[in-house]
Amino acid sequence: RLPVPKLEDTVTRYLNAQKPLLNDDQFRKTEELARHFEKGIGRELHEQLVAQDNRNKHTSYITGPWFDMYLRAREPVVLNFNAFMSFNPDPKSEYNDQLIRATNMTVSAIRFMKTFRAGYLEPEVFHLNPEKSDTQLFKKIIRFVPSSLSWFGAYMVNAYPLDMSQYFRLFNSTRLPKLNRDELYTDEKAKHLLVLRNGNFYIFDVLDRDGNMLKPSEIQAHLKYILSDNSPTPAFPLGYLTSENRDTWASLRKSLVDNGNEEALQKVDSAVFCLSLDDFAIKDFVHLSHTMLHGDGANRWYDKSFNLIITKDGTAGVNFEHSWGDGVAVLRFQNEVFKDSTKTPAISPQSQPASVDSSRAVQKLDFKLNDALKAGITKAKQKFDASVEALSLNMIQFREGGKDLLKQKKVSPDAVAQLAFQMAFLRQYNQTVATYESCSTAAFKHGRTETIRPASIHTKKCSEAFVREPSKHSTEELQKLVVECSKYHGRLTKEAAMGQGFDRHLFGLRYLALSKGLALPDFYQDQAYARLNHNIISTSTLVSPAVQLGGFGPVVSDGFGVGYQVHEDWIGCNVSAYPTRNGKEFLQCIYKSLEDIFNVLKGKK
């Protein structure tokens, strides 16, 4: 189970994270409020939280508040919450054809779903010592140990089974807009796929009455039929509504239902997943990021648990809604779909589609729109276009080294990437700001994420040495500072992964106070608390053989959204920003920072 940290540990960790962001006077005031909170109302809330957690052993203390936080948020999901991960191309170039890849990935996705539902999907396990635990022998033995003890058997060989409770929401699921708080909806009985093309909605069954998958050649035939349909884009594409403010969308949805569209919406909501087929090829990585993060708004249904997007040249990616689950579940899905569709593809470029009557099997959904709904769609489109217009996406690939060299120099690759972000921001804006790095707590039952706070007194000291006064320090001194940052970052990462961060605990206490109708404690009204939670640099990382790159929008209007990957011999970085920040310049500063760190580690200056 996810532990509730000790209150004194949480307060100490919180103050450590505040230190680099405040001057001495500000810090004194914040420290005083924190200690006061720890002895008084904080202690009472903490005891109540622990008691509540002991009464709810089937879940974790963060589950309820975290779902609530996502589902109560009224901002549009697109750019604010939904993230994307794009697939690598199929290694066999002739398989990167839109129809072939769409068929193969759809088949693999359904195989994954059926395997998962049948209880045959291999558990997600984090192997700290893979030589011992990631072996056929271990898998054979552990299979016969009762589940109440099997986790202990795994633990004995340093293998940690991860929570998979989010996985069922991958399929047949959607986020329904409701006033004040949205709802998650899942209908596992539905057998159809939703396909979007040119803003038109199509559905066809991919499972038969007995739950068996349609033949791949039939799926290919139906997709071919949709790709050859030359219906124009509707004058009022419904997809834009899912990019609206949630309350606005909730009332428009009610009008849609009242106007005779309940059945069509039901088909959209319950579909196995949403396959979005785009009618253009990808020009470059920036175009790829824009396409996968938001696209044109007409050819997406942002409320579905995920949209599988495939463009004209067979480039594929996933855009996923974030309330139901985190990157780890989506990544496992993508890894399996990539592996299955490339290693054992269901159809080949030579395959002929089945001779079936697709015009009968494929249903095009029609929506009845009155003037108010048409006006609502027009307004949603205007807002969407304006938001997307304001967003910049840029990226770099640093080719002068990666994980291999850093490990050889005994420093943490993730710590070096995070240090580069701190140095870059200092170089560009001459300050240290609140920074967020996401860390999965899936090692615990119903764990979600915890925050790593990469901005520390160590990164501040190191950044200032590199940026402001490099000539004052010898290479050895600079190396020592980098190693210090790496050690501290390693400690923070380990704490977060073990459920020993401070962010979720403080969030849970605050949520508890508000749910009991108590006045918000002074601690939470401190400007420094608000500033720490205004994450100007928001970061997330993943590396996988299936994924080319991933990204998300900034979480605050004056922030950066940083998706990054540290590979064996290079580092990739993808930055989103709004006009108040210059993302291109930030990336140039990151590049320069990485160059400086690598030179110092190599003994050059």
Side-chain angles (χ1 to χ4, degrees):
R1 298 195 64 233
L2 182 70
V4 178
K6 289 184 183 140
L7 185 59
E8 48 276 29
D9 291 348
T10 287
V11 170
T12 302
R13 288 168 182 145
Y14 168 75
L15 291 171
N16 286 342
Q18 285 286 18
K19 199 134 209 181
L21 309 178
L22 304 173
N23 64 31
D24 292 350
D25 286 347
Q26 291 169 323
F27 184 75
R28 249 194 311 274
K29 182 188 163 212
T30 291
E31 186 172 32
E32 200 178 305
L33 284 166
R35 295 298 172 204
H36 188 70
F37 176 75
E38 184 188 342
K39 289 190 198 82
I41 181 73
R43 173 69 49 205
E44 290 169 42
L45 288 168
H46 174 75
E47 281 162 10
Q48 288 175 20
L49 185 70
V50 169
Q52 194 181 338
D53 185 53
N54 288 332
R55 288 194 302 273
N56 291 282
K57 290 204 177 348
H58 63 287
T59 186
S60 74
Y61 78 90
I62 200 62
T63 301
W66 208 241
F67 270 123
D68 217 39
M69 180 268 305
Y70 271 124
L71 295 172
R72 281 189 190 282
R74 299 292 85 192
E75 301 88 357
V77 292
V78 65
L79 300 189
N80 294 307
F81 295 105
N82 286 27
F84 84 88
M85 293 190 259
S86 72
F87 286 99
N88 272 314
D90 192 307
K92 303 184 291 295
S93 60
E94 68 276 20
Y95 280 78
N96 289 309
D97 165 89
Q98 188 175 27
L99 176 60
I100 290 165
R101 202 162 197 207
T103 306
N104 282 329
M105 284 194 152
T106 298
V107 168
S108 294
I110 296 164
R111 281 179 183 162
F112 177 90
M113 176 182 80
K114 284 178 64 64
T115 308
F116 172 67
R117 287 187 180 161
Y120 290 124
L121 188 66
E122 194 175 310
E124 192 66 30
V125 180
F126 179 62
H127 297 276
L128 267 180
N129 190 349
E131 292 75 33
K132 263 190 186 168
S133 57
D134 202 1
T135 63
Q136 285 315 113
L137 178 68
F138 173 73
K139 286 175 189 172
K140 240 186 211 134
I141 296 168
I142 206 77
R143 183 167 289 150
F144 297 105
V145 180
S147 62
S148 57
L149 293 172
S150 59
W151 68 272
F152 191 72
Y155 176 73
M156 293 311 289
V157 288
N158 249 340
Y160 296 89
L162 302 184
D163 178 76
M164 295 172 76
S165 62
Q166 298 173 1
Y167 283 49
F168 83 99
R169 293 256 189 225
L170 270 164
F171 303 105
N172 300 98
S173 296
T174 200
R175 173 175 174 162
L176 296 176
K178 301 277 178 184
L179 289 174
N180 303 321
R181 185 185 191 271
D182 291 356
E183 276 169 25
L184 291 174
Y185 167 85
T186 301
D187 174 7
E188 292 188 356
K189 291 189 292 292
K191 296 174 165 46
H192 60 281
L193 178 70
L194 170 67
V195 183
L196 298 185
R197 180 165 167 262
N198 276 331
N200 291 300
F201 290 62
Y202 306 85
I203 55 166
F204 63 86
D205 283 355
V206 286
L207 301 169
D208 67 17
R209 267 204 304 268
D210 305 320
N212 299 312
M213 182 170 61
L214 245 64
K215 290 196 193 86
S217 59
E218 292 183 31
I219 293 176
Q220 181 187 7
H222 298 337
L223 291 176
K224 186 178 180 180
Y225 172 79
I226 292 169
L227 283 167
S228 56
D229 179 22
N230 42 29
S231 304
T233 305
F236 300 96
L238 210 67
Y240 283 113
L241 293 178
T242 61
S243 74
E244 252 294 6
N245 165 286
R246 303 305 294 176
D247 281 340
T248 309
W249 170 209
S251 18
L252 285 165
R253 185 186 164 95
K254 197 179 168 313
S255 312
L256 271 170
V257 170
D258 296 344
N259 214 45
N261 297 292
E262 188 165 13
E263 203 182 317
L265 282 170
Q266 168 64 25
K267 295 285 191 204
V268 170
D269 298 334
S270 61
V272 174
F273 62 88
C274 176
L275 173 66
S276 296
L277 300 172
D278 283 350
D279 266 4
F280 52 82
I282 295 295
K283 303 194 215 27
D284 52 33
F285 281 134
V286 171
H287 183 220
L288 172 69
S289 293
H290 279 292
T291 300
M292 300 302 169
L293 182 60
H294 55 76
D296 69 351
N299 214 40
R300 302 283 181 272
W301 195 259
Y302 300 110
D303 289 359
K304 281 303 272 181
S305 53
F306 70 89
N307 287 245
L308 172 61
I309 301 158
I310 303 184
T311 64
K312 195 79 174 163
D313 56 356
T315 304
V318 161
N319 176 295
F320 66 97
E321 197 280 313
H322 219 320
S323 64
W324 64 270
D326 303 304
V328 279
V330 182
L331 188 62
R332 172 69 188 272
F333 167 71
Q334 287 195 242
N335 286 342
E336 299 289 2
V337 165
F338 183 77
K339 192 166 101 186
D340 191 62
S341 64
T342 55
K343 295 231 162 70
T344 52
I347 64 160
S348 74
Q350 286 70 48
S351 304
Q352 286 304 310
S355 43
V356 285
D357 185 0
S358 294
S359 67
R360 287 187 59 186
V362 178
Q363 183 193 348
K364 188 167 168 219
L365 298 180
D366 279 315
F367 295 93
K368 304 175 189 69
L369 306 176
N370 58 23
D371 290 348
L373 286 164
K374 289 177 181 174
I377 293 171
T378 304
K379 196 162 181 205
K381 181 183 185 327
Q382 286 163 351
K383 283 191 198 168
F384 173 85
D385 290 344
S387 306
V388 162
E389 187 58 38
L391 181 85
S392 72
L393 287 169
N394 291 286
M395 66 211 47
I396 53 159
Q397 291 183 346
F398 177 81
R399 295 271 175 191
E400 293 170 47
K403 202 180 282 181
D404 291 349
L405 190 130
L406 296 171
K407 282 189 168 163
Q408 190 192 318
K409 300 287 178 194
K410 296 195 168 40
V411 290
S412 142
D414 191 59
V416 166
Q418 289 289 346
L419 174 60
F421 306 152
Q422 293 301 313
M423 278 166 63
F425 200 89
L426 186 74
R427 192 182 294 278
Q428 191 178 1
Y429 296 104
N430 206 18
Q431 62 182 142
T432 298
V433 291
T435 307
Y436 180 109
E437 180 183 355
S438 171
C439 174
S440 170
T441 50
F444 300 97
K445 189 181 182 81
H446 293 188
R448 294 282 313 234
T449 57
E450 181 54 91
T451 309
I452 298 168
R453 292 291 182 172
S456 66
I457 50 173
H458 305 282
T459 59
K460 192 175 186 176
K461 188 176 162 189
C462 185
S463 301
E464 284 173 352
F466 270 85
V467 173
R468 291 189 182 152
E469 39 188 35
S471 53
K472 281 193 194 161
H473 300 272
S474 69
T475 307
E476 287 72 30
E477 283 168 353
L478 292 173
Q479 278 174 349
K480 223 185 219 148
L481 288 171
V482 174
V483 168
E484 225 164 88
C485 289
S486 172
K487 276 189 186 139
Y488 187 70
H489 187 77
R491 194 183 105 194
L492 290 182
T493 304
K494 199 170 174 188
E495 286 174 355
M498 296 315 291
Q500 295 293 331
F502 67 85
D503 279 85
R504 298 299 173 272
H505 187 197
L506 290 179
F507 180 83
L509 296 174
R510 182 176 186 270
Y511 182 88
L512 186 64
L514 293 175
S515 70
K516 296 220 180 267
L518 303 175
L520 192 63
D522 293 347
F523 170 80
Y524 291 108
Q525 300 190 47
D526 183 7
Q527 269 182 323
Y529 178 85
R531 225 182 359 246
L532 182 69
N533 287 289
H534 183 86
N535 291 298
I536 289 177
I537 306 173
S538 183
T539 73
S540 188
T541 184
L542 59 103
V543 173
S544 141
V547 172
Q548 194 165 29
L549 84 167
F552 50 93
V555 296
V556 292
S557 60
D558 58 340
F560 289 123
V562 184
Y564 64 103
Q565 295 166 300
V566 185
H567 298 272
E568 271 55 40
D569 55 356
W570 64 283
I571 298 172
C573 197
N574 192 355
V575 167
S576 63
Y578 292 116
T580 48
R581 297 278 180 199
N582 185 336
K584 212 168 197 161
E585 191 184 315
F586 184 50
L587 275 168
Q588 286 162 352
C589 292
I590 291 173
Y591 196 95
K592 168 90 173 85
S593 303
L594 285 169
E595 220 165 30
D596 290 351
I597 297 167
F598 273 80
N599 281 338
V600 159
L601 291 174
K602 288 173 188 166
K604 300 188 288 203
K605 209 171 161 188

